[in-house]
Amino acid sequence: MQAVLSLKKYIKPYMAFAIIAPLMMVLEVAMDLVQPTIMQHIIDNGIAEDDSSYVIKMFGVMILCAVMGLIGGIGCSIYASKTAINFSADIRQDLYETITYFSNRNKDHFTLGKLITNMTSDVEMLQRALTMLLKMFIRGPFTFIGAIVIVFLTARELFPVLLVVVPILAVAIFFFTRLSGKLFLKVQEAVDGVNTRVQENLAGIRVIKAYNRKRHQIDQFTTVNETLMKRNIHADQIIGILMPLTAFVVNMGIIGALWMGAFKVENSTIEVGVILAFINYLMMVMGGLMGSSTVLMLIARAVPSANRIVAVLEQKSEITNTENPVAAPIKGEVEFDHVSFAYNKNNEPVLKNISFKANPGETIGVIGMTGSGKSSIVNLIPRMYEADQGVIKIDGRPIHDYDLQVLREAIGFTPQKATLFSRTIEENVKYGNEDAALEELIEALESSCALEFVEKLENREQYRVTQGATNLSGGQKQRLAMARALIRKPAILILDDTTSAVDSISEKRIQKAIEENYKESTKFIVSSKISSIRHADKILVMDDGVIVGQGTHEELLETNKIYQEIVSTQLVRGGTLNA
Ligand SMILES: Nc1ncnc2c1ncn2[C@@H]1O[C@H](COP(=O)(O)OP(=O)(O)OP(=O)(O)O)[C@@H](O)[C@H]1O
Ligand SMILES: [Mg+2]
């Protein structure tokens, strides 16, 4: 419930609407409540007394009440929807912004499927609950209490019927509301299961096909889908009992009222109109109780959604910005001073006591086995993650002293997994520098050896990349991702295994172009191939999170056992390096 309350700040800007909606509802309910009484007067004072002018007059009053009730009802719907739609749009916006500013460690907490469910169905659930709340929280109790009071005042002879019927209805509805909260929580969990499966299947569709696991995936989906179906049926069946049960109780009430009324009409202690009005009010009592219970059920269902939304909104990015950033431009000297880092604080560090220095303009090669910590080292430079121990310095100052935006703008970062957006090639590359001119775009494409294939595409730079870049090859994606980093002309260039899918001739040309065109950039080249890093000014040899050697290719070849091993496995028979 705390989570729900913490979302109330999103209603504040629309407070006026949120107040008008229930007020309009008061009008509708009041009009609803007076109508059976008017009807009673028409029957008892008009029809029974044969007074047609009275009947016509009261009929006019009744129509007027109905029209006012209609205005109230429509007004309430409009303002309730306005409040709820604005409220949910603001929450969605905040969720999106929070996720955009997530640090990578924050991201590791949530699955993609969960975040998508969060931004769509969870927000929608809240919107529905709020609309209902604004419409019904007045209507339910007001109709219920109003009807009871009117019966007490105008049809006291039949009041004992209410004394029996209302407690039975109240207990039944309370019991079912509680039960439905529990049932729908289970339904929601099953929906999560289905969403996660769908998301995973779509993301992995190629692997599924390649491994011929379609049947297996379909079977898995069938399982979660059936769970959802069963839970939905179960919930619907249980909740479905409520309606006939309450109708039965109300019908018994009506029979009771008619039975009691029959005697009293005979004795002339009650008029027929009073009985008819009573039956109307009895229905209203039931409607009021049911309305209140619908709101309660919806709120019970919205609470888990609210909890999940708040869990995302409250994630604080551990990557915070400094208040007094360094003003000097970044030249590109990078130093790691006894740096250690773990993705999960409870686990062993994946980087242990890392120290090295890169001078501006130098090329640093990072090599090592899979999982040795190469990506982890370079991820720390743009502060994708925060080091746990030691200091990382740029131009002699800790990276925390720089404004985060300035720091990241100085870095051309190409992560290991080439990610492109569903836009044109030009837009994708210019993502690295929006102000770049056409010549700069061409230069970046040329340096990353992307121009040769872009030129052959229909529409060239205007070629549209599909979602997930499925209309490009692995090597083409990598080249465009590199171009996006190069177009920045960054002080620090990080290429994390970006030529793994590029052929060796193109790779040599890329190396040459980068050496020539990006002389001033400090370059970090991560690779598991010797050929990618052998010409680096300094090579860091990683093994299980530790730098086990650093130096040039020749130095390491003489002194470093692990480096020698890597080289020997990549030698071709003729004794030259397998490029
Ligand atoms: N987001 C993460 N959460 C938890 N552990 C991680 C995460 N990313 C990497 N690791 C772990 O950290 C260790 C180092 O991973 P890293 O990605 O730095 O290796 P790498 O040298 O780049 O490997 P590769 O050559 O396969 O790219 C591995 O044991 C890996 O399982
Ligand atoms: Mg890696």
Side-chain angles (χ1 to χ4, degrees):
M1 211 57 197
Q2 202 115 39
V4 179
L5 291 179
S6 77
L7 291 173
K8 70 175 187 290
K9 66 169 187 263
Y10 290 94
I11 301 185
K12 257 197 188 149
Y14 312 106
M15 212 44 167
F17 297 160
I19 293 171
I20 294 174
L23 286 182
M24 301 287 269
M25 186 42 74
V26 172
L27 181 68
E28 190 192 356
V29 174
M31 293 303 116
D32 278 357
L33 282 171
V34 295
Q35 291 199 44
T37 303
I38 299 173
M39 186 193 71
Q40 174 204 329
H41 284 292
I42 291 177
I43 295 171
D44 295 340
N45 304 339
I47 298 171
E49 309 283 324
D50 223 357
D51 184 349
S52 57
S53 72
Y54 181 82
V55 172
I56 293 169
K57 194 177 84 189
M58 290 311 272
F59 195 61
V61 174
M62 217 169 162
I63 290 179
L64 189 70
C65 288
V67 171
M68 279 171 61
L70 184 70
I71 294 172
I74 293 175
C76 172
S77 279
I78 292 174
Y79 285 103
S81 302
K82 265 192 174 181
T83 316
I85 290 171
N86 279 303
F87 162 84
S88 58
D90 288 356
I91 291 183
R92 216 178 289 122
Q93 183 75 26
D94 257 17
L95 276 172
Y96 186 77
E97 283 175 24
T98 310
I99 294 169
T100 313
Y101 281 97
F102 260 11
S103 72
N104 284 19
R105 213 193 290 254
N106 292 141
K107 267 196 203 104
D108 294 346
H109 269 303
F110 298 92
T111 62
L112 193 60
K114 270 226 169 87
L115 290 176
I116 292 173
T117 316
N118 224 273
M119 291 206 48
T120 52
S121 57
D122 281 344
V123 174
E124 186 146 338
M125 192 69 226
L126 281 193
Q127 183 182 323
R128 274 190 11 223
L130 182 61
T131 314
M132 268 316 255
L133 181 70
L134 290 175
K135 280 188 186 169
M136 294 303 273
F137 91 101
I138 288 285
R139 192 186 175 89
F142 211 69
T143 316
F144 170 70
I145 295 169
I148 292 178
V149 170
I150 294 178
V151 168
F152 185 74
L153 294 178
T154 62
R156 200 164 306 173
E157 300 86 345
L158 298 173
F159 196 71
V161 177
L162 280 192
L163 286 181
V164 177
V165 170
V166 171
I168 299 177
L169 283 180
V171 169
I173 289 174
F174 175 76
F175 173 75
F176 276 95
T177 307
R178 280 199 54 178
L179 193 61
S180 82
K182 286 183 194 147
L183 292 173
F184 280 113
L185 189 63
K186 290 202 149 181
V187 170
Q188 198 64 31
E189 281 167 7
V191 171
D192 267 358
V194 169
N195 280 353
T196 308
R197 270 273 153 258
V198 169
Q199 202 264 329
E200 251 180 35
N201 275 9
L202 292 181
I205 194 88
R206 288 175 180 215
V207 180
I208 294 168
K209 284 195 173 157
Y211 282 83
N212 229 350
R213 300 287 277 178
K214 290 191 285 271
R215 196 63 256 161
H216 172 78
Q217 293 297 122
I218 291 171
D219 287 347
Q220 280 197 335
F221 184 79
T222 310
T223 314
V224 287
N225 199 22
E226 269 176 6
T227 308
L228 174 60
M229 182 187 74
K230 280 183 192 148
R231 288 186 185 177
N232 255 327
I233 290 177
H234 184 58
D236 274 2
Q237 278 173 345
I238 300 276
I239 306 302
I241 299 172
L242 181 64
M243 207 52 195
L245 188 71
T246 47
F248 175 74
V249 175
V250 169
N251 284 337
M252 295 312 280
I254 292 173
I255 291 171
L258 288 174
W259 184 67
M260 279 173 75
F263 283 111
K264 294 188 189 246
V265 171
E266 259 176 29
N267 303 342
S268 298
T269 48
I270 200 168
E271 285 163 298
V272 179
V274 176
I275 301 174
L276 287 178
F278 173 81
I279 292 173
N280 261 302
Y281 286 121
L282 190 58
M283 302 294 258
M284 282 193 184
V285 168
M286 179 184 82
L289 270 176
M290 294 285 276
S292 311
S293 81
T294 312
V295 177
L296 290 178
M297 279 187 207
L298 261 175
I299 291 178
R301 290 180 67 180
V303 168
S305 292
N307 282 335
R308 287 196 294 208
I309 286 172
V310 172
V312 174
L313 289 174
E314 282 184 349
Q315 281 286 319
K316 292 258 177 316
S317 178
E318 45 152 9
I319 315 278
T320 49
N321 214 348
T322 173
E323 303 226 320
N324 303 306
V326 184
I330 291 177
K331 287 202 207 74
E333 183 195 278
V334 179
E335 186 181 355
F336 274 53
D337 187 5
H338 298 92
V339 172
S340 294
F341 167 69
Y343 284 101
N344 187 332
K345 298 248 151 74
N346 306 322
N347 291 356
E348 251 227 15
V350 294
L351 293 178
K352 295 160 220 161
N353 216 7
I354 301 289
S355 294
F356 69 87
K357 189 170 173 195
N359 293 314
E362 273 186 348
T363 300
I364 307 296
V366 186
I367 198 163
M369 304 268 281
T370 286
S372 56
K374 304 183 294 294
S375 297
S376 305
I377 286 196
V378 291
N379 274 335
L380 294 183
I381 303 173
R383 292 181 69 193
M384 292 296 159
Y385 290 91
E386 215 71 292
D388 300 318
Q389 277 167 28
V391 193
I392 302 168
K393 291 183 194 157
I394 287 183
D395 297 346
R397 286 179 178 270
I399 46 174
H400 296 94
D401 289 0
Y402 292 93
D403 179 75
L404 200 54
Q405 191 157 349
V406 172
L407 172 78
R408 289 188 180 161
E409 269 170 15
I411 299 173
F413 181 55
T414 313
Q416 190 160 12
K417 186 169 179 282
T419 308
L420 298 173
F421 299 106
S422 47
R423 311 173 184 188
T424 63
I425 287 188
E426 176 177 359
E427 284 168 317
N428 263 295
V429 176
K430 278 198 181 172
Y431 202 82
N433 177 8
E434 282 178 7
D435 304 324
L438 184 65
E439 304 85 71
E440 291 172 286
L441 172 72
I442 301 292
E443 189 189 328
L445 288 171
E446 206 165 11
S447 301
S448 62
C449 265
L451 195 61
E452 54 191 67
F453 83 84
V454 171
E455 274 175 338
K456 286 189 205 138
L457 293 172
E458 181 190 356
N459 302 335
R460 292 174 52 110
E461 302 85 36
Q462 301 311 321
Y463 182 76
R464 265 204 102 72
V465 179
T466 50
Q467 195 183 10
T470 45
N471 58 348
L472 291 173
S473 76
Q476 288 172 337
K477 272 191 265 188
Q478 286 193 329
R479 292 174 210 210
L480 290 179
M482 268 189 277
R484 181 174 55 198
L486 293 174
I487 203 168
R488 293 200 138 175
K489 304 220 170 63
I492 300 165
L493 178 66
I494 300 172
L495 303 178
D496 186 354
D497 214 6
T498 48
T499 51
S500 59
V502 174
D503 62 274
S504 49
I505 298 173
S506 301
E507 187 185 14
K508 280 219 168 71
R509 282 170 43 206
I510 296 171
Q511 278 173 1
K512 192 160 167 275
I514 290 179
E515 277 305 325
E516 281 171 10
N517 302 341
Y518 299 86
K519 278 200 176 70
E520 280 163 23
S521 306
T522 311
K523 296 164 277 288
F524 286 86
I525 315 284
V526 177
S527 182
S528 49
K529 288 188 292 185
I530 294 284
S531 60
S532 309
I533 49 102
R534 66 173 293 175
H535 299 293
D537 299 300
K538 189 185 273 176
I539 298 168
L540 310 178
V541 185
M542 295 293 299
D543 185 36
D544 200 14
V546 180
I547 296 184
V548 288
Q550 47 182 305
T552 60
H553 173 72
E554 287 72 25
E555 286 164 4
L556 290 167
L557 210 48
E558 270 184 26
T559 56
N560 194 281
K561 255 184 106 70
I562 291 184
Y563 193 76
Q564 287 162 358
E565 257 174 53
I566 300 173
V567 171
S568 65
T569 56
Q570 293 181 18
L571 276 179
V572 287
R573 240 176 254 142
T576 54
L577 270 176
N578 188 4

